[in-house]
Amino acid sequence: MKVVVYCSANNDLPEEITGLASSVGLWIGECHHSLVYGGVNAGLMHITAQAAHDAGCKSIIGVVPEMFAHRADPLCSEIVLAHDLNDRKSRLIAHGDAFVVLPGGLGTIDEWISTLSHLVVEGSERPVVVVNYNGMYDAQIQQLAITAQSQFSRSQLITSSILVNNSQELINKLNEINKL
């Protein structure tokens, strides 16, 4: 299974947050899955890749915009160069069998919502697991629910994200997905 992880590229984040990234990377490596991520050698992206690598992950795929090629993570077994951020999102979505949204900024939110939009259009039910750490995504979750209930939405899939709150819930949910 190819697991796409969306997350922050910021450094110096609290241990509780870096632990989330480590736990998903460790799980991917131990389960012999492939990690697909933004491919930059920074923040939660690198922490996830390092944990996957340390757990024996053989396939670490970094999808990096050309403008950030100089920041590509050396842990990647494969680098996919994207023209820009939109191309990167498309390539990440195309690679994924499952998606994990860790804490992150505007780019992470954009990737999450773009993934949901893409899955709705294609009618796919590939799982999207969102770690709503300390309620940081509450507003987005509420907006998705409002939109799904409105006359403007044709699909309930936009609210199909699987919500978890911490690393243990994340790993439990990934184990359930792994059995499917």
Side-chain angles (χ1 to χ4, degrees):
M1 176 167 54
K2 290 182 178 176
V3 181
V4 176
V5 178
Y6 300 132
C7 58
S8 176
N10 282 353
N11 293 311
D12 301 321
L13 294 170
E15 187 174 326
E16 191 172 7
I17 301 295
T18 60
L20 284 168
S22 291
S23 66
V24 73
L26 179 66
W27 182 86
I28 290 168
E30 288 177 345
C31 291
H32 308 290
H33 295 311
S34 297
L35 168 63
V36 184
Y37 72 119
V40 177
N41 186 15
L44 298 183
M45 286 193 210
H46 176 72
I47 291 168
T48 303
Q50 186 68 62
H53 177 268
D54 292 349
C57 186
K58 301 292 185 225
S59 179
I60 299 175
I61 303 165
V63 182
V64 183
E66 291 170 355
M67 67 180 138
F68 296 135
H70 65 284
R71 295 179 56 200
D73 198 328
L75 294 171
C76 293
S77 55
E78 178 183 349
I79 298 286
V80 176
L81 288 179
H83 300 295
D84 55 29
L85 291 171
N86 284 325
D87 185 36
R88 175 201 218 173
K89 284 187 296 186
S90 295
R91 290 171 185 258
L92 287 164
I93 294 166
H95 273 87
D97 298 311
F99 304 86
V100 173
V101 181
L102 296 177
L106 187 57
T108 302
I109 294 168
D110 180 38
E111 290 163 336
W112 169 31
I113 301 303
S114 292
T115 299
L116 288 178
S117 180
H118 182 89
L119 297 179
V120 165
V121 168
E122 77 175 20
S124 173
E125 294 187 18
R126 290 183 277 170
V128 179
V129 182
V130 178
V131 181
N132 190 26
Y133 174 76
N134 284 342
M136 76 170 293
Y137 292 129
D138 283 350
Q140 287 80 20
I141 294 163
Q142 181 181 12
Q143 183 60 59
L144 288 170
I146 290 168
T147 302
Q149 295 169 10
S150 77
Q151 64 188 7
F152 306 108
S153 178
R154 286 182 271 159
S155 175
Q156 295 298 312
L157 280 177
I158 63 172
T159 57
S160 65
S161 296
I162 301 163
L163 305 175
V164 298
N165 296 303
N166 56 53
S167 60
Q168 188 57 55
E169 289 179 15
L170 172 62
I171 297 308
N172 290 344
K173 193 53 69 177
L174 290 173
N175 283 329
E176 287 176 27
I177 291 167
N178 197 38
K179 292 177 186 175
L180 300 177

mmCIF file of all heavy atoms in Angstrom, residues 3 25 28-29 33-39 45-46 48-63 73-80:
data_model
loop_
_atom_site.group_PDB
_atom_site.id
_atom_site.type_symbol
_atom_site.label_atom_id
_atom_site.label_comp_id
_atom_site.label_asym_id
_atom_site.label_seq_id
_atom_site.Cartn_x
_atom_site.Cartn_y
_atom_site.Cartn_z
ATOM 1 N N VAL A 3 1.108 4.942 1.134
ATOM 2 C CA VAL A 3 0.475 5.852 2.078
ATOM 3 C C VAL A 3 1.042 7.252 1.861
ATOM 4 O O VAL A 3 2.241 7.473 2.024
ATOM 5 C CB VAL A 3 0.724 5.404 3.538
ATOM 6 C CG1 VAL A 3 0.043 6.353 4.516
ATOM 7 C CG2 VAL A 3 0.260 3.965 3.747
ATOM 8 N N GLY A 25 5.376 7.070 10.377
ATOM 9 C CA GLY A 25 6.517 6.575 9.616
ATOM 10 C C GLY A 25 6.921 5.184 10.055
ATOM 11 O O GLY A 25 7.184 4.301 9.221
ATOM 12 N N ILE A 28 4.384 2.660 8.755
ATOM 13 C CA ILE A 28 4.565 2.415 7.318
ATOM 14 C C ILE A 28 5.745 1.463 7.094
ATOM 15 O O ILE A 28 5.639 0.498 6.328
ATOM 16 C CB ILE A 28 4.767 3.743 6.558
ATOM 17 C CG1 ILE A 28 3.454 4.541 6.547
ATOM 18 C CG2 ILE A 28 5.261 3.493 5.127
ATOM 19 C CD1 ILE A 28 3.603 5.991 6.086
ATOM 20 N N GLY A 29 6.858 1.714 7.762
ATOM 21 C CA GLY A 29 8.028 0.860 7.610
ATOM 22 C C GLY A 29 7.804 -0.549 8.111
ATOM 23 O O GLY A 29 8.152 -1.526 7.436
ATOM 24 N N HIS A 33 4.959 -0.973 3.804
ATOM 25 C CA HIS A 33 4.249 -0.144 2.836
ATOM 26 C C HIS A 33 5.225 0.880 2.266
ATOM 27 O O HIS A 33 6.378 0.973 2.692
ATOM 28 C CB HIS A 33 3.066 0.576 3.502
ATOM 29 C CG HIS A 33 1.996 -0.346 3.992
ATOM 30 N ND1 HIS A 33 1.445 -1.351 3.216
ATOM 31 C CD2 HIS A 33 1.366 -0.429 5.189
ATOM 32 C CE1 HIS A 33 0.532 -2.001 3.903
ATOM 33 N NE2 HIS A 33 0.456 -1.455 5.116
ATOM 34 N N SER A 34 4.741 1.660 1.322
ATOM 35 C CA SER A 34 5.528 2.751 0.744
ATOM 36 C C SER A 34 5.061 4.064 1.347
ATOM 37 O O SER A 34 3.863 4.280 1.518
ATOM 38 C CB SER A 34 5.337 2.808 -0.769
ATOM 39 O OG SER A 34 5.812 1.635 -1.379
ATOM 40 N N LEU A 35 6.020 4.940 1.632
ATOM 41 C CA LEU A 35 5.713 6.303 2.062
ATOM 42 C C LEU A 35 5.785 7.205 0.843
ATOM 43 O O LEU A 35 6.761 7.177 0.092
ATOM 44 C CB LEU A 35 6.727 6.785 3.108
ATOM 45 C CG LEU A 35 6.698 8.292 3.439
ATOM 46 C CD1 LEU A 35 5.362 8.694 4.060
ATOM 47 C CD2 LEU A 35 7.866 8.655 4.354
ATOM 48 N N VAL A 36 4.756 8.006 0.663
ATOM 49 C CA VAL A 36 4.742 9.040 -0.369
ATOM 50 C C VAL A 36 4.480 10.348 0.359
ATOM 51 O O VAL A 36 3.532 10.455 1.138
ATOM 52 C CB VAL A 36 3.645 8.789 -1.429
ATOM 53 C CG1 VAL A 36 3.717 9.832 -2.532
ATOM 54 C CG2 VAL A 36 3.746 7.374 -2.002
ATOM 55 N N TYR A 37 5.335 11.344 0.135
ATOM 56 C CA TYR A 37 5.189 12.610 0.869
ATOM 57 C C TYR A 37 5.819 13.738 0.061
ATOM 58 O O TYR A 37 6.316 13.526 -1.038
ATOM 59 C CB TYR A 37 5.798 12.495 2.264
ATOM 60 C CG TYR A 37 7.317 12.460 2.310
ATOM 61 C CD1 TYR A 37 8.032 13.443 2.981
ATOM 62 C CD2 TYR A 37 8.044 11.467 1.666
ATOM 63 C CE1 TYR A 37 9.422 13.408 3.028
ATOM 64 C CE2 TYR A 37 9.418 11.423 1.711
ATOM 65 C CZ TYR A 37 10.109 12.413 2.392
ATOM 66 O OH TYR A 37 11.480 12.388 2.432
ATOM 67 N N GLY A 38 5.791 14.933 0.621
ATOM 68 C CA GLY A 38 6.293 16.118 -0.064
ATOM 69 C C GLY A 38 7.778 16.114 -0.352
ATOM 70 O O GLY A 38 8.259 16.952 -1.111
ATOM 71 N N GLY A 39 8.510 15.193 0.224
ATOM 72 C CA GLY A 39 9.892 14.937 -0.138
ATOM 73 C C GLY A 39 10.932 15.956 0.279
ATOM 74 O O GLY A 39 12.077 15.874 -0.144
ATOM 75 N N MET A 45 7.866 16.315 7.652
ATOM 76 C CA MET A 45 8.125 15.511 6.451
ATOM 77 C C MET A 45 9.355 14.633 6.662
ATOM 78 O O MET A 45 9.310 13.422 6.444
ATOM 79 C CB MET A 45 8.334 16.413 5.229
ATOM 80 C CG MET A 45 7.084 17.035 4.698
ATOM 81 S SD MET A 45 7.440 17.742 3.074
ATOM 82 C CE MET A 45 6.276 19.076 3.061
ATOM 83 N N HIS A 46 10.443 15.242 7.069
ATOM 84 C CA HIS A 46 11.681 14.483 7.264
ATOM 85 C C HIS A 46 11.550 13.503 8.427
ATOM 86 O O HIS A 46 12.053 12.373 8.351
ATOM 87 C CB HIS A 46 12.863 15.423 7.494
ATOM 88 C CG HIS A 46 14.138 14.684 7.784
ATOM 89 N ND1 HIS A 46 14.819 13.980 6.821
ATOM 90 C CD2 HIS A 46 14.809 14.506 8.944
ATOM 91 C CE1 HIS A 46 15.881 13.413 7.372
ATOM 92 N NE2 HIS A 46 15.898 13.715 8.661
ATOM 93 N N THR A 48 8.898 11.919 9.469
ATOM 94 C CA THR A 48 8.131 10.769 8.991
ATOM 95 C C THR A 48 9.015 9.854 8.154
ATOM 96 O O THR A 48 9.028 8.631 8.339
ATOM 97 C CB THR A 48 6.909 11.233 8.176
ATOM 98 O OG1 THR A 48 6.100 12.100 8.980
ATOM 99 C CG2 THR A 48 6.075 10.054 7.708
ATOM 100 N N ALA A 49 9.760 10.449 7.228
ATOM 101 C CA ALA A 49 10.637 9.662 6.354
ATOM 102 C C ALA A 49 11.733 8.962 7.151
ATOM 103 O O ALA A 49 12.048 7.799 6.884
ATOM 104 C CB ALA A 49 11.246 10.558 5.278
ATOM 105 N N GLN A 50 12.295 9.653 8.129
ATOM 106 C CA GLN A 50 13.358 9.051 8.945
ATOM 107 C C GLN A 50 12.833 7.838 9.705
ATOM 108 O O GLN A 50 13.482 6.792 9.745
ATOM 109 C CB GLN A 50 13.937 10.080 9.918
ATOM 110 C CG GLN A 50 15.145 9.581 10.697
ATOM 111 C CD GLN A 50 16.361 9.373 9.803
ATOM 112 O OE1 GLN A 50 16.845 10.323 9.200
ATOM 113 N NE2 GLN A 50 16.853 8.148 9.713
ATOM 114 N N ALA A 51 11.651 7.974 10.294
ATOM 115 C CA ALA A 51 11.071 6.859 11.048
ATOM 116 C C ALA A 51 10.750 5.688 10.119
ATOM 117 O O ALA A 51 11.001 4.528 10.467
ATOM 118 C CB ALA A 51 9.824 7.320 11.795
ATOM 119 N N ALA A 52 10.216 5.977 8.938
ATOM 120 C CA ALA A 52 9.920 4.918 7.973
ATOM 121 C C ALA A 52 11.207 4.222 7.549
ATOM 122 O O ALA A 52 11.283 2.986 7.520
ATOM 123 C CB ALA A 52 9.194 5.496 6.762
ATOM 124 N N HIS A 53 12.220 5.017 7.247
ATOM 125 C CA HIS A 53 13.527 4.475 6.844
ATOM 126 C C HIS A 53 14.112 3.597 7.944
ATOM 127 O O HIS A 53 14.567 2.474 7.695
ATOM 128 C CB HIS A 53 14.461 5.636 6.509
ATOM 129 C CG HIS A 53 15.844 5.215 6.149
ATOM 130 N ND1 HIS A 53 16.849 5.106 7.080
ATOM 131 C CD2 HIS A 53 16.376 4.855 4.963
ATOM 132 C CE1 HIS A 53 17.953 4.714 6.483
ATOM 133 N NE2 HIS A 53 17.698 4.548 5.192
ATOM 134 N N ASP A 54 14.099 4.094 9.174
ATOM 135 C CA ASP A 54 14.661 3.357 10.304
ATOM 136 C C ASP A 54 13.916 2.050 10.567
ATOM 137 O O ASP A 54 14.492 1.108 11.103
ATOM 138 C CB ASP A 54 14.664 4.216 11.565
ATOM 139 C CG ASP A 54 15.633 5.387 11.476
ATOM 140 O OD1 ASP A 54 16.453 5.432 10.524
ATOM 141 O OD2 ASP A 54 15.547 6.277 12.355
ATOM 142 N N ALA A 55 12.632 2.010 10.172
ATOM 143 C CA ALA A 55 11.821 0.803 10.358
ATOM 144 C C ALA A 55 11.922 -0.141 9.157
ATOM 145 O O ALA A 55 11.200 -1.129 9.091
ATOM 146 C CB ALA A 55 10.368 1.185 10.613
ATOM 147 N N GLY A 56 12.800 0.182 8.218
ATOM 148 C CA GLY A 56 13.047 -0.716 7.093
ATOM 149 C C GLY A 56 12.251 -0.448 5.840
ATOM 150 O O GLY A 56 12.232 -1.279 4.928
ATOM 151 N N CYS A 57 11.595 0.700 5.759
ATOM 152 C CA CYS A 57 10.825 1.039 4.567
ATOM 153 C C CYS A 57 11.768 1.125 3.364
ATOM 154 O O CYS A 57 12.752 1.857 3.384
ATOM 155 C CB CYS A 57 10.097 2.363 4.767
ATOM 156 S SG CYS A 57 8.984 2.810 3.423
ATOM 157 N N LYS A 58 11.457 0.376 2.326
ATOM 158 C CA LYS A 58 12.310 0.337 1.137
ATOM 159 C C LYS A 58 11.871 1.349 0.073
ATOM 160 O O LYS A 58 12.637 1.681 -0.820
ATOM 161 C CB LYS A 58 12.299 -1.060 0.516
ATOM 162 C CG LYS A 58 12.781 -2.133 1.459
ATOM 163 C CD LYS A 58 14.246 -1.998 1.759
ATOM 164 C CE LYS A 58 14.730 -3.158 2.602
ATOM 165 N NZ LYS A 58 15.570 -2.787 3.692
ATOM 166 N N SER A 59 10.634 1.809 0.148
ATOM 167 C CA SER A 59 10.106 2.708 -0.876
ATOM 168 C C SER A 59 9.636 4.014 -0.227
ATOM 169 O O SER A 59 8.553 4.074 0.353
ATOM 170 C CB SER A 59 8.952 2.036 -1.624
ATOM 171 O OG SER A 59 8.428 2.904 -2.601
ATOM 172 N N ILE A 60 10.481 5.024 -0.302
ATOM 173 C CA ILE A 60 10.167 6.354 0.211
ATOM 174 C C ILE A 60 10.180 7.285 -0.989
ATOM 175 O O ILE A 60 11.233 7.568 -1.564
ATOM 176 C CB ILE A 60 11.173 6.797 1.280
ATOM 177 C CG1 ILE A 60 11.139 5.824 2.472
ATOM 178 C CG2 ILE A 60 10.894 8.231 1.731
ATOM 179 C CD1 ILE A 60 12.179 6.089 3.545
ATOM 180 N N ILE A 61 8.987 7.712 -1.376
ATOM 181 C CA ILE A 61 8.816 8.495 -2.599
ATOM 182 C C ILE A 61 8.548 9.946 -2.229
ATOM 183 O O ILE A 61 7.553 10.242 -1.573
ATOM 184 C CB ILE A 61 7.660 7.938 -3.446
ATOM 185 C CG1 ILE A 61 7.916 6.461 -3.777
ATOM 186 C CG2 ILE A 61 7.469 8.770 -4.719
ATOM 187 C CD1 ILE A 61 6.701 5.720 -4.296
ATOM 188 N N GLY A 62 9.437 10.828 -2.647
ATOM 189 C CA GLY A 62 9.267 12.251 -2.405
ATOM 190 C C GLY A 62 8.799 12.946 -3.670
ATOM 191 O O GLY A 62 9.420 12.803 -4.724
ATOM 192 N N VAL A 63 7.687 13.653 -3.567
ATOM 193 C CA VAL A 63 7.157 14.412 -4.700
ATOM 194 C C VAL A 63 7.474 15.881 -4.427
ATOM 195 O O VAL A 63 6.866 16.509 -3.557
ATOM 196 C CB VAL A 63 5.650 14.187 -4.893
ATOM 197 C CG1 VAL A 63 5.148 14.949 -6.111
ATOM 198 C CG2 VAL A 63 5.348 12.691 -5.028
ATOM 199 N N ASP A 73 14.789 15.446 0.282
ATOM 200 C CA ASP A 73 15.267 14.626 1.384
ATOM 201 C C ASP A 73 16.133 13.486 0.852
ATOM 202 O O ASP A 73 15.679 12.711 0.004
ATOM 203 C CB ASP A 73 14.065 14.067 2.143
ATOM 204 C CG ASP A 73 14.399 13.576 3.531
ATOM 205 O OD1 ASP A 73 15.535 13.100 3.736
ATOM 206 O OD2 ASP A 73 13.520 13.662 4.407
ATOM 207 N N PRO A 74 17.366 13.358 1.341
ATOM 208 C CA PRO A 74 18.232 12.260 0.868
ATOM 209 C C PRO A 74 17.721 10.876 1.253
ATOM 210 O O PRO A 74 18.208 9.871 0.729
ATOM 211 C CB PRO A 74 19.585 12.556 1.527
ATOM 212 C CG PRO A 74 19.293 13.477 2.652
ATOM 213 C CD PRO A 74 18.045 14.226 2.307
ATOM 214 N N LEU A 75 16.726 10.800 2.131
ATOM 215 C CA LEU A 75 16.150 9.514 2.505
ATOM 216 C C LEU A 75 15.261 8.929 1.409
ATOM 217 O O LEU A 75 14.931 7.742 1.452
ATOM 218 C CB LEU A 75 15.330 9.649 3.791
ATOM 219 C CG LEU A 75 16.121 9.981 5.055
ATOM 220 C CD1 LEU A 75 15.173 10.303 6.199
ATOM 221 C CD2 LEU A 75 17.039 8.828 5.419
ATOM 222 N N CYS A 76 14.890 9.744 0.440
ATOM 223 C CA CYS A 76 14.002 9.274 -0.626
ATOM 224 C C CYS A 76 14.698 8.234 -1.497
ATOM 225 O O CYS A 76 15.827 8.430 -1.933
ATOM 226 C CB CYS A 76 13.550 10.433 -1.505
ATOM 227 S SG CYS A 76 12.482 11.614 -0.659
ATOM 228 N N SER A 77 13.991 7.139 -1.731
ATOM 229 C CA SER A 77 14.483 6.143 -2.678
ATOM 230 C C SER A 77 14.102 6.545 -4.094
ATOM 231 O O SER A 77 14.689 6.059 -5.055
ATOM 232 C CB SER A 77 13.923 4.758 -2.338
ATOM 233 O OG SER A 77 12.510 4.782 -2.289
ATOM 234 N N GLU A 78 13.131 7.441 -4.200
ATOM 235 C CA GLU A 78 12.695 7.961 -5.496
ATOM 236 C C GLU A 78 12.244 9.406 -5.316
ATOM 237 O O GLU A 78 11.494 9.717 -4.388
ATOM 238 C CB GLU A 78 11.539 7.117 -6.035
ATOM 239 C CG GLU A 78 10.986 7.591 -7.356
ATOM 240 C CD GLU A 78 9.783 6.771 -7.832
ATOM 241 O OE1 GLU A 78 9.496 5.699 -7.247
ATOM 242 O OE2 GLU A 78 9.126 7.230 -8.777
ATOM 243 N N ILE A 79 12.707 10.258 -6.208
ATOM 244 C CA ILE A 79 12.256 11.654 -6.235
ATOM 245 C C ILE A 79 11.431 11.844 -7.500
ATOM 246 O O ILE A 79 11.882 11.523 -8.606
ATOM 247 C CB ILE A 79 13.444 12.647 -6.265
ATOM 248 C CG1 ILE A 79 14.316 12.522 -5.018
ATOM 249 C CG2 ILE A 79 12.952 14.078 -6.452
ATOM 250 C CD1 ILE A 79 13.717 13.093 -3.759
ATOM 251 N N VAL A 80 10.216 12.352 -7.328
ATOM 252 C CA VAL A 80 9.362 12.704 -8.453
ATOM 253 C C VAL A 80 9.321 14.228 -8.493
ATOM 254 O O VAL A 80 8.831 14.857 -7.550
ATOM 255 C CB VAL A 80 7.935 12.131 -8.276
ATOM 256 C CG1 VAL A 80 7.026 12.580 -9.410
ATOM 257 C CG2 VAL A 80 7.972 10.613 -8.152
#
